[in-house]
Amino acid sequence: MATLRILFTRLRTEEKLLKEAAERLGVPCELQNVGDTVFGEDPFCQPDDVVLARCVSHNQNEGVAQMLETQGITVVNSSRVMGICGNKLTTSAVLAQAGVPQPKFLVAFTPEGALEAVESLGYPAVCKPVSGSWGRLLAKINDRESAEAIFEHKSMLGAIHNTFYIQEFVDKGSFDVRAFVINGEPLCAIARTSEHWITNTARGGSASNLPLDDETTEILRSVHAAIGGEFLAVDLFKANGRWLVNEVNDGGEFRNSIAPTGRDIPGAVVEAAWNRRKG
């Protein structure tokens, strides 16, 4: 019998909510900690199973997906979608190719090139690690002196930090938006409000419902058309009357968005995944 397998390395609220949703919907489901699992030996799943890969580490999650896909197992989201969303440079490149509106960005590979990039964009600007979540290691660069210090520091952190992703600073006011897209259709969205320029709810931002209008619905559909996937969490903000896509997440957290929106996000994710089963 086909089973929905929710894989995790740390059991968070989201994975528990997904399991509860599966039980409520009558979907055979198992939670499985894969922290000590070896992939690539004996088959991990049955051929008709569907896997929701929910490992905390994005690199581990993508690796799990790749190994299972080599065995013909259906993984939600696919490793291809994970690969796009897990790298901010890749995400921006894919969105740019599709004509999806986003903040201006430049990329450099040395501190000297990064300094030239930030001065081309103008101060303030934002430097982001190409891989990361929860607003960690973001740096708002206000002037040349701080730019020199930040780029020198990043150059010593290892190879991945020597790809300098520089984004224009957008004055978004006190809020941005986290929207959820299921199977290409926008489901709901929250406004995340904070006095700090980083508004993630994981960093203390407060959440309230944001009704989806025609403009946000259209841009969210365009994001899915460019990236694909059964479950996307899209961060947007509005500047000069125009919505811009800031980031796209393939395994976003949603526990703080259920109550404000009144939408059954875990149920929608379970249904989207289960509908991918074979046969």
Side-chain angles (χ1 to χ4, degrees), residues 106-148:
L106 294 173
V107 177
F109 301 98
T110 64
E112 295 78 15
L115 185 60
E116 182 178 340
V118 73
E119 296 213 321
S120 174
L121 284 176
Y123 299 105
V126 177
C127 182
K128 297 181 175 182
V130 292
S131 179
S133 59
W134 296 343
R136 293 172 296 195
L137 296 179
L138 299 189
K140 182 183 175 186
I141 304 172
N142 293 317
D143 52 40
R144 183 183 179 93
E145 184 176 358
S146 60
E148 291 173 342

Side-chain angles (χ1 to χ4, degrees), residues 38-100:
V38 176
F39 290 85
E41 295 183 340
D42 297 329
F44 181 80
C45 304
Q46 297 301 313
D48 55 353
D49 287 347
V50 179
V51 165
L52 262 174
R54 298 284 306 180
C55 302
V56 173
S57 163
H58 189 278
N59 289 337
Q60 291 177 348
N61 214 41
E62 188 176 352
V64 166
Q66 290 170 338
M67 293 303 294
L68 292 175
E69 287 168 351
T70 64
Q71 298 174 350
I73 303 299
T74 300
V75 184
V76 174
N77 286 301
S78 70
S79 62
R80 185 194 69 82
V81 173
M82 291 182 188
I84 294 173
C85 296
N87 185 296
K88 293 179 177 62
L89 170 55
T90 306
T91 304
S92 292
V94 169
L95 295 180
Q97 189 172 22
V100 177

Side-chain angles (χ1 to χ4, degrees), residues 200-243:
N200 301 57
T201 56
R203 298 278 293 267
S206 61
S208 60
N209 184 50
L210 183 87
L212 294 170
D213 58 17
D214 290 343
E215 183 183 2
T216 50
T217 297
E218 181 181 358
I219 194 171
L220 290 169
R221 285 174 176 163
S222 71
V223 170
H224 180 267
I227 295 175
E230 290 75 29
F231 172 52
L232 299 177
V234 184
D235 295 344
L236 312 98
F237 39 63
K238 202 165 195 176
N240 299 319
R242 184 188 187 203
W243 285 108

